[in-house]
Amino acid sequence: MIELEGVPELVDPVMVAAFEGWNDAGDAASTAVAHLDREWKGEVFAALDAEDYYDFQVNRPTVFMEAGVRKITWPTTRLSVVRVGGEKPRDLVLVRGIEPSMRWRSFCNELLGFAHELGVELVVVLGALLGDTPHTRPVPISGTTSDPDLARRMDLEETKYEGPTGIVGVLQEACTHAGVPAVSLWAAVPHYVSQPPNPKATLALLNRLEDLIDVRIPLGELPEDARAWQVGVDQLAAEDSEVAEYVQSLEEARDTAELPEASGDAIAREFERYLRRHDGGGPPGAGGHATADGSDSTSYLRDNPSGRARPPKPPKPGTDDEESSED
């Protein structure tokens, strides 16, 4: 039985979740939830029992010293709550942890139990996958749901993905069966530079989340970190002519495929975000990962330039290999 003593009654609560591992290329999704927790000073109110869900030979505990005493931190999933003020107050229930090693259905049912007890109105699960996208262009964000009505109301895609899935897809489906509205937001991370962190992808996820739940998110140093990250990757790519040529081909394919995106709706969304951030209100601004086709992938840019593999040619716009989100 779930007991939530000490947790205040929440206002229009939304659950936002992210999990390290296969669903989290570049640590973009888990870093986004960590950012929300840090900026809004989240208070942890629950943690799932690590013994139930994790293989400690896969996700090992860590030892640390505190006041001269050795202690152990066990891999787990923690829930915290943050209170967002402003003209339209709203509370967020933040879920951050590691993709479980076992008993996924029980894991999801336990999270749904918290959502039910807290009166959560919407579950948003963040993820990041590796894709054929250039680091020099805006990060593609796919918003998907299994609910046709929700897709229409929130300008989302009704998911059509088939293939391997991770805990993000399983949790979203569990929400659907439980009658809880659920959305997945996926950031596409360049597969040739997948090492964490990726502040540009994290920033893109937070911007899309902000639009989705109508809450202004303080960004802190993320915009500057994203610019510095892109400059750093520019420099790395420039050191290898093959990689530089590959990035250019991705840019051309992306620009051709997304030319229709320069629409009135897209421009209006960006203008609305600009106005929100300049209206004077609110606060100032390892292993394989999921890919567009559900397979695992590794990075091409490495610390040692001589160790780079030759990148594949990007897909032509309009082919079946175009980037799609994994739900």
Side-chain angles (χ1 to χ4, degrees):
M1 180 177 179
I2 297 175
E3 297 182 3
L4 297 173
E5 295 181 4
V7 178
E9 185 174 349
L10 304 183
V11 178
D12 298 332
V14 173
M15 178 177 281
V16 182
F19 305 94
E20 300 173 22
W22 192 75
N23 312 269
D24 193 25
D27 291 355
S30 58
T31 302
V33 175
H35 177 86
L36 297 174
D37 192 72
R38 181 175 59 253
E39 290 294 325
W40 279 317
K41 299 178 174 57
E43 297 182 7
V44 174
F45 64 86
L48 305 192
D49 190 341
E51 293 278 351
D52 291 340
Y53 304 114
Y54 294 101
D55 179 347
F56 298 137
Q57 290 183 323
V58 176
N59 296 293
R60 293 185 178 274
T62 57
V63 178
F64 68 100
M65 300 292 292
E66 185 177 278
V69 179
R70 287 170 61 85
K71 295 187 176 182
I72 293 179
T73 298
W74 296 92
T76 189
T77 293
R78 294 180 172 83
L79 291 84
S80 59
V81 63
V82 298
R83 180 142 285 178
V84 182
E87 293 183 3
K88 294 189 290 186
R90 159 162 268 176
D91 295 327
L92 302 183
V93 179
L94 305 180
V95 180
R96 182 162 60 107
I98 304 169
E99 183 177 65
S101 308
M102 60 194 103
R103 304 181 69 227
W104 284 18
R105 285 177 289 189
S106 297
F107 180 87
C108 292
N109 287 337
E110 191 163 353
L111 291 179
L112 283 170
F114 283 107
H116 175 72
E117 290 295 324
L118 293 167
V120 166
E121 300 179 347
L122 175 70
V123 174
V124 182
V125 195
L126 307 183
L129 52 79
L130 301 179
D132 292 319
T133 182
H135 71 278
T136 53
R137 296 294 185 266
V139 176
I141 301 293
S142 299
T144 65
T145 180
S146 298
D147 185 335
D149 293 333
L150 196 63
R152 285 191 294 271
R153 285 192 288 110
M154 306 190 82
D155 190 24
L156 301 166
E157 300 174 27
E158 190 177 350
T159 180
K160 303 295 183 184
Y161 173 81
E162 295 179 296
T165 191
I167 194 61
V168 171
V170 173
L171 179 56
Q172 180 173 348
E173 196 63 18
C175 289
T176 300
H177 287 303
V180 179
V183 173
S184 294
L185 298 181
W186 286 92
V189 171
H191 66 87
Y192 57 88
V193 56
S194 62
Q195 304 95 327
N198 189 320
K200 186 173 181 178
T202 294
L203 179 62
L205 279 170
L206 291 175
N207 282 336
R208 185 67 178 90
L209 177 66
E210 184 178 64
D211 294 340
L212 185 73
I213 63 176
D214 195 23
V215 166
R216 183 177 175 187
I217 297 173
L219 299 179
E221 298 179 358
L222 260 180
E224 184 58 36
D225 291 344
R227 284 189 288 270
W229 176 87
Q230 181 163 324
V231 169
V233 178
D234 285 342
Q235 294 172 346
L236 285 173
E239 295 173 3
D240 188 303
S241 58
E242 287 187 357
V243 174
E245 182 181 350
Y246 177 61
V247 172
Q248 183 179 0
S249 65
L250 287 177
E251 291 172 341
E252 293 171 354
R254 172 78 180 275
D255 293 346
T256 300
E258 296 198 348
L259 195 59
E261 287 298 312
S263 64
D265 288 344
I267 294 170
R269 282 196 297 270
E270 289 302 315
F271 186 61
E272 287 171 0
R273 180 180 294 121
Y274 173 83
L275 291 178
R276 281 200 302 272
R277 296 210 167 277
H278 294 80
D279 63 2
H289 293 288
T291 63
D293 62 2
S295 62
D296 287 341
S297 183
T298 54
S299 170
Y300 284 103
L301 278 185
R302 302 190 180 100
D303 292 336
N304 178 9
S306 63
R308 296 194 188 107
R310 187 182 186 88
K313 293 181 179 179
K316 294 180 180 180
T319 66
D320 292 338
D321 292 332
E322 279 186 357
E323 183 177 288
S324 61
S325 66
E326 189 278 323
D327 70 334

